[in-house]
Amino acid sequence: MKSRVLYSVVILGLVLGLTACQCGGKPAVQPTTEPEKPAGCAPNCTYADMTLCYPQLGAESDWRTANTASFKETAEELGFKLVFSDAQQKQENQISAIRACIQQKVDVIALPPLVEDGFEQVLTEAKNAGIPVIIVDRSVSADPDLYASHIGSDMVLEGERAAEEFNKLMPDGGAVLELSGTTGSGAAVGRAKGFRNKLNDNIEILDSQTGNFTRAEAKPVMEAFLKKYEAGTDFQGIFIHNDDMGIGAIESLKAAGVKPGDLVIVSVDGTRGGFQAMVDGWFQADVECNPLLGPQVAEMALKLMNGQSVDREVLTNETVYYPDNAAELLPTRKY
Ligand code: AHR
């Protein structure tokens, strides 16, 4: 089975050579009203017929690593060809990779968009080429007619869940800092919105800065926060948009003499690192965001190849994890 699966790693230079210039200004390609055509093998296409393009946005976090592994493992198990690339957190790389997939005439593109805006033109190009697109994980702001479906988490709900934890843990109010994800990403925008939707009026968001979803970038942001504000006096809590940034922030907190439990910290993802931070007493709650989306996306991609209808939006069922059983659950975590 393994030998039937080919991974095509798209090298940026090659991609740029293959793809057309996005010359700025208005989209050169106008949306078509023609209906999508099912693949030649429809209605009996199997996974062996399928080439799925996955232009991954980067490798910024343990969540992302697990998401990539989910797609690679699913391709191996089901026997479809995966055209995988890593855009290294650069939208222009992701757009180039999508264009390379269009040129390769893949059957379906599954796109985890780095940010919400700026995909209109390339999605139009995919539509005009008759290649269905599934938006995966984060959302896009483009016209929904340009893609078949979105499969991923409800990022607004995740932010709301985090706010509810602060409301419980800080009943008398206070001030919190926010370490937010990649600016303009559906995950950061949704979590920030949800957090503000539900946070009690007696809790002030003292400051909010991005750590771009990475440990490396979160650490100096937390350091700067700690120079500006006194932990425990100026603020009592931190809402952190993902576990990797939480782990980076903990390094800065430790260096500043802050101890586990001195602050209320709520993070998002539910990675092993997040569970360890709960076991160690740093996080008081971890809002789940599930990266294991490969099987669902593959199933939908095959349906699209066979001309079957699919749901416009498929949201992942998620929960909130707590320190009381974190040690017990940690060994069972898949990511
Ligand atoms: O879009 C999902 C988010 O992206 C995850 O919370 C984060 O860890 C990742 O980088």
Side-chain angles (χ1 to χ4, degrees):
M1 184 71 87
K2 228 173 188 167
S3 62
R4 287 161 56 199
V5 180
L6 296 169
Y7 294 126
S8 303
V9 176
V10 179
I11 299 160
L12 179 62
L14 176 66
V15 169
L16 291 174
L18 281 171
T19 54
C21 155
Q22 185 184 16
C23 300
K26 284 194 169 174
V29 186
Q30 294 306 314
T32 172
T33 52
E34 280 166 21
E36 256 79 61
K37 290 186 201 83
C41 50
N44 298 313
C45 303
T46 66
Y47 285 118
D49 299 309
M50 185 165 93
T51 300
L52 177 72
C53 169
Y54 198 55
Q56 180 60 282
L57 65 86
E60 75 285 2
S61 63
D62 287 351
W63 188 102
R64 191 64 52 198
T65 305
N67 179 255
T68 290
S70 173
F71 278 81
K72 290 186 173 180
E73 283 162 18
T74 304
E76 264 192 37
E77 274 162 29
L78 300 178
F80 62 85
K81 182 182 171 187
L82 183 72
V83 180
F84 179 83
S85 53
D86 176 352
Q88 297 172 9
Q89 293 243 71
K90 291 195 176 75
Q91 188 179 27
E92 63 270 28
N93 292 353
Q94 218 175 13
I95 289 173
S96 296
I98 298 166
R99 291 212 169 103
C101 283
I102 295 171
Q103 290 216 345
Q104 276 178 254
K105 299 188 184 353
V106 299
D107 296 302
V108 180
I109 296 170
L111 169 67
L114 177 69
V115 288
E116 291 190 305
D117 296 341
F119 285 101
E120 195 96 11
Q121 170 157 345
V122 77
L123 290 176
T124 301
E125 291 168 24
K127 189 175 174 76
N128 287 351
I131 300 174
V133 176
I134 303 169
I135 303 295
V136 179
D137 162 29
R138 304 175 184 175
S139 49
V140 286
S141 59
D143 183 345
D145 282 350
L146 295 176
Y147 55 89
S149 182
H150 169 240
I151 296 184
S153 302
D154 185 336
M155 306 295 185
V156 175
L157 182 62
E158 290 174 354
E160 290 178 346
R161 284 181 166 154
E164 279 157 2
E165 295 307 321
F166 281 99
N167 296 343
K168 279 190 271 174
L169 293 159
M170 294 173 56
D172 300 328
V176 295
L177 298 171
E178 182 183 42
L179 244 175
S180 120
T182 302
T183 306
S185 68
V189 171
R191 288 170 192 169
K193 182 172 183 239
F195 191 59
R196 284 154 182 78
N197 283 350
K198 292 277 164 147
L199 196 66
N200 279 348
D201 287 345
N202 63 1
I203 303 177
E204 179 202 356
I205 302 171
L206 182 63
D207 206 338
S208 176
Q209 299 290 333
T210 180
N212 204 20
F213 282 129
T214 70
R215 292 178 195 201
E217 286 167 88
K219 197 179 161 198
V221 175
M222 195 64 235
E223 247 167 52
F225 273 151
L226 291 165
K227 282 197 182 119
K228 205 166 163 194
Y229 309 109
E230 197 173 331
T233 307
D234 295 330
F235 68 99
Q236 292 75 38
I238 318 170
F239 171 39
I240 305 181
H241 282 206
N242 83 340
D243 289 346
D244 279 76
M245 290 194 298
I247 291 161
I250 288 170
E251 287 183 35
S252 299
L253 291 166
K254 275 185 187 164
V258 178
K259 301 270 177 305
D262 285 353
L263 297 167
V264 173
I265 302 180
V266 176
S267 179
V268 184
D269 274 356
T271 59
R272 283 193 205 103
F275 270 72
Q276 190 60 56
M278 286 196 282
V279 171
D280 296 342
W282 286 102
F283 293 176
Q284 274 75 55
D286 202 355
V287 178
E288 184 189 12
C289 181
N290 191 334
L292 308 178
L293 302 172
Q296 261 176 298
V297 171
E299 192 185 341
M300 183 181 282
L302 188 63
K303 278 189 176 171
L304 289 166
M305 271 184 81
N306 279 319
Q308 292 171 21
S309 62
V310 297
D311 290 339
R312 295 261 347 144
E313 172 116 64
V314 181
L315 295 175
T316 315
N317 244 338
E318 290 164 342
T319 186
V320 182
Y321 298 109
Y322 298 99
D324 52 0
N325 61 349
E328 186 192 324
L329 290 179
L330 180 54
T332 69
R333 299 300 296 159
K334 292 201 174 70
Y335 54 94

